[in-house]
Amino acid sequence: MINYTNILREHNLKATPQRLAIADELYKKGHISIESLYELMVNKFSSISLATIYKNINLMLENSFIQEIKIPYSKSVYELTQAPHSHLACEKCFAVEDITIDLNSIIDIITKESSFKITSTNLVLSGICENCQLG
Amino acid sequence: MINYTNILREHNLKATPQRLAIADELYKKGHISIESLYELMVNKFSSISLATIYKNINLMLENSFIQEIKIPYSKSVYELTQAPHSHLACEKCFAVEDITIDLNSIIDIITKESSFKITSTNLVLSGICENCQLG
DNA sequence: TTATTAAAGGATAAATATTATTTTTTATAT
DNA sequence: ATATAAAAAATAATATTTATCCTTTAATAA
């Protein structure tokens, strides 16, 4: 179990128990939606407010402690900030997996062909995950 | 000016004046958010209801007449359904451009390396558009 | 054409989702 | 240990999206 106290502080976020719990859930689950996170947090802090979830998610986003991943035909999920990577989104069970894909060649081509200056990439590949292919 | 009557009907959508106007705006603007679309439509149909916008957008999505594009740190925009393609999103002026990128090699690699069955791709490249680089 | 009918639009209420406000509590630096 | 700025809790307020109900209309066929 990782202690996120210092990592939170490095992102200018006070290390409150609620935030440590959010970080811990994000670490354990990998990707969580707002509503799932709220349900998980209520188990740990019975009196936690939904507003606290939103305020923390927004602050964590602003301070780049977490990232939002927008999924087609589904709700956004959030993850701890890591090295840039892409995502696999299962259309059946809505699970989200990380995947590292080298997009540099694509960026190079676009940079040469157009005048658009790319600063970040967001790639979500939708389909059916291994588990759902079996069932 | 394209007449979308038949195209709407092919998607099992009645060709009402409101829908023809929505199609026309999507064609002209390329990508529009819900609120922008509502503003544009009020100019043409002063008594149009916001619910009509939502109902039509949802129906058009269900019938694949349009697509939703989820943009990082911004609101979704909608476009007429075309051949699959990717998007360039300007972080400054929030304009969205279409761009055709061949992602087949990437899909092939993932298909070989993992058990995930990819059915569609969603790539949004964020950055600064040509216009905003000048200003 | 006109009549019929299922569907769409308008108005508005209701439900969800998100943000703001106020007071109480707490993490952190001194 | 104390002071203080920030966070949490408890709402209230907004914003966004969907549902409802009644009226109007597009599509179909006689």
Side-chain angles (χ1 to χ4, degrees):
Chain A
M1 170 144 171
I2 295 171
N3 187 296
Y4 281 96
T5 304
N6 291 328
I7 305 174
L8 281 166
R9 286 177 184 161
E10 285 163 15
H11 288 85
N12 300 311
L13 296 165
K14 281 191 179 178
T16 66
Q18 290 84 347
R19 286 176 182 173
L20 289 167
I22 290 173
D24 191 50
E25 289 297 347
L26 288 171
Y27 172 72
K28 284 197 293 187
K29 293 281 196 312
H31 309 89
I32 320 185
S33 67
I34 292 276
E35 58 179 352
S36 300
L37 181 59
Y38 179 58
E39 287 168 23
L40 289 165
M41 294 296 285
V42 167
N43 293 333
K44 297 185 179 180
F45 305 90
S46 55
S47 70
I48 197 169
S49 167
L50 182 55
T52 298
I53 304 292
Y54 276 105
K55 277 186 291 187
N56 279 322
I57 287 292
N58 286 334
L59 261 178
M60 288 172 168
L61 282 170
E62 285 165 22
N63 293 294
S64 297
F65 178 73
I66 64 173
Q67 300 294 135
E68 177 178 7
I69 303 134
K70 294 192 171 186
I71 312 288
Y73 307 106
S74 185
K75 298 198 173 166
S76 287
V77 296
Y78 301 85
E79 68 180 10
L80 294 169
T81 297
Q82 298 156 268
H85 58 277
S86 300
H87 293 96
L88 300 174
C90 181
E91 294 167 339
K92 201 168 171 186
C93 71
F94 299 105
V96 175
E97 299 173 46
D98 292 335
I99 185 167
T100 299
I101 304 172
D102 184 0
L103 296 173
N104 284 315
S105 60
I106 285 172
I107 294 172
D108 288 347
I109 292 170
I110 297 165
T111 301
K112 276 172 196 153
E113 290 179 356
S114 84
S115 304
F116 195 95
K117 196 187 199 80
I118 297 170
T119 55
S120 68
T121 66
N122 266 78
L123 174 59
V124 178
L125 303 168
S126 300
I128 308 294
C129 73
E130 185 172 10
N131 243 311
C132 288
Q133 285 174 52
L134 307 173
Chain B
M1 170 143 172
I2 296 170
N3 187 297
Y4 281 97
T5 304
N6 292 327
I7 305 174
L8 281 166
R9 287 176 183 159
E10 285 163 15
H11 289 85
N12 301 311
L13 297 164
K14 281 191 181 181
T16 66
Q18 291 85 346
R19 287 176 181 172
L20 289 168
I22 290 174
D24 191 50
E25 288 297 348
L26 288 170
Y27 173 72
K28 285 196 292 188
K29 293 281 195 312
H31 309 90
I32 321 184
S33 68
I34 291 275
E35 58 181 351
S36 301
L37 181 59
Y38 179 58
E39 287 168 21
L40 288 166
M41 294 295 286
V42 167
N43 293 333
K44 297 186 178 179
F45 305 89
S46 56
S47 70
I48 197 169
S49 167
L50 183 54
T52 298
I53 304 294
Y54 275 104
K55 279 186 289 189
N56 278 321
I57 287 292
N58 286 334
L59 262 178
M60 287 172 167
L61 282 170
E62 285 166 23
N63 293 295
S64 297
F65 178 72
I66 65 174
Q67 300 294 136
E68 177 178 7
I69 303 135
K70 294 192 171 186
I71 311 288
Y73 306 107
S74 186
K75 298 198 173 166
S76 287
V77 295
Y78 301 85
E79 67 180 10
L80 294 169
T81 297
Q82 299 155 269
H85 58 278
S86 299
H87 294 96
L88 300 174
C90 181
E91 294 167 340
K92 202 169 171 186
C93 71
F94 300 106
V96 175
E97 301 173 45
D98 292 335
I99 185 167
T100 299
I101 302 172
D102 184 0
L103 296 172
N104 284 315
S105 60
I106 284 172
I107 294 172
D108 287 347
I109 292 170
I110 297 165
T111 301
K112 275 171 198 154
E113 289 179 354
S114 84
S115 305
F116 195 95
K117 195 188 200 79
I118 298 169
T119 54
S120 68
T121 65
N122 267 77
L123 174 59
V124 178
L125 302 168
S126 300
I128 309 295
C129 73
E130 185 172 10
N131 243 311
C132 288
Q133 285 175 52
L134 307 173

